[in-house]
């Protein structure tokens, strides 16, 4: 995770304003990706378009930062074989008219996040797990040094 992404996540957590929003459209795209081995993979991407009202009363309609990527099929031996839905965020799908919680920055109300996005938890999980791992390694080295 980059430091810029971490700073942005912390900025949303610290300064973000939470308001209700509504999914009014779902942008869908489909593309074929060729990997290093020459296999074709068909990916579908869906991104919710959300409307929300800022604290100062402005109506906003923006595409969400989150996107669900679903692998549809991979070409193997000249034919497409259906795959599981890799890369999908907890099987999350968006419904038209769904009410969601939106967190936006007051200085840039067009930048928002749909609440519940798992990357926010990673901001705390990754540093914590790395520090626990370093502590465990340090203790192991200390014990080995005492023996």
């Amino acid at each position: 995770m980059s430091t810029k992404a971490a700073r942005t996540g912390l900025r949303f957590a610290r300064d973000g304003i939470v308001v209700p929003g509504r999914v009014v459209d779902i942008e869908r795209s489909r593309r074929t990706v060729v990997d290093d081995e020459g296999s074709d993979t068909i990916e579908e991407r869906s991104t919710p378009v959300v409307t929300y009202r800022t604290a100062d009363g402005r109506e906003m309609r923006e595409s969400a930062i989150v996107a669900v990527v679903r692998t549809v099929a991979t070409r193997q031996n000249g034919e497409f074989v259906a795959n599981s839905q890799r890369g999908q965020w907890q099987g999350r799908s968006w419904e038209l008219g769904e009410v969601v919680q939106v967190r936006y920055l007051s200085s840039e109300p067009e930048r928002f996040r749909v609440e519940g996005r798992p990357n926010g938890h990673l901001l705390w999980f990754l540093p914590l797990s790395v520090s626990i791992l370093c502590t465990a390694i340090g203790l192991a080295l200390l014990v080995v040094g005492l023996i």
Side-chain angles (χ1 to χ4, degrees):
M1 177 184 293
S2 72
T3 55
K4 181 179 179 182
R7 279 194 313 250
T8 301
L10 289 173
R11 186 171 162 216
F12 269 98
R14 184 185 63 231
D15 302 331
I17 299 170
V18 179
V19 295
R22 183 175 303 276
V23 176
V24 294
D25 194 11
I26 299 173
E27 296 174 347
R28 299 184 193 281
S29 64
R30 188 175 180 143
R31 69 184 185 133
T32 301
V33 180
V34 180
D35 64 13
D36 294 339
E37 299 169 2
S39 298
D40 295 344
T41 301
I42 299 174
E43 291 181 351
E44 287 182 344
R45 183 177 302 267
S46 62
T47 305
V49 177
V50 179
T51 60
Y52 57 97
R53 184 182 302 274
T54 62
D56 61 2
R58 288 184 282 173
E59 279 289 325
M60 305 298 291
R61 178 188 165 108
E62 302 289 336
S63 294
I65 294 172
V66 293
V68 176
V69 177
R70 181 168 68 101
T71 302
V72 178
T74 302
R75 184 183 303 271
Q76 296 174 355
N77 299 325
E79 60 185 59
F80 281 104
V81 178
N83 287 345
S84 62
Q85 297 185 354
R86 296 177 307 179
Q88 202 167 13
W89 166 42
Q90 300 174 349
R92 179 73 164 104
S93 60
W94 306 98
E95 309 252 342
L96 288 178
E98 179 180 350
V99 176
V100 294
Q101 291 298 308
V102 172
R103 182 180 296 266
Y104 72 92
L105 298 174
S106 59
S107 59
E108 303 171 82
E110 65 281 350
R111 293 188 64 197
F112 73 98
R113 303 231 168 129
V114 175
E115 286 290 281
R117 190 162 169 239
N119 289 351
H121 303 297
L122 288 177
L123 289 174
W124 302 110
F125 176 75
L126 289 176
L128 180 65
S129 60
V130 168
S131 64
I132 290 171
L133 178 65
C134 290
T135 303
I137 291 171
L139 287 173
L141 291 173
L142 183 64
V143 169
V144 169
L146 293 176
I147 295 180

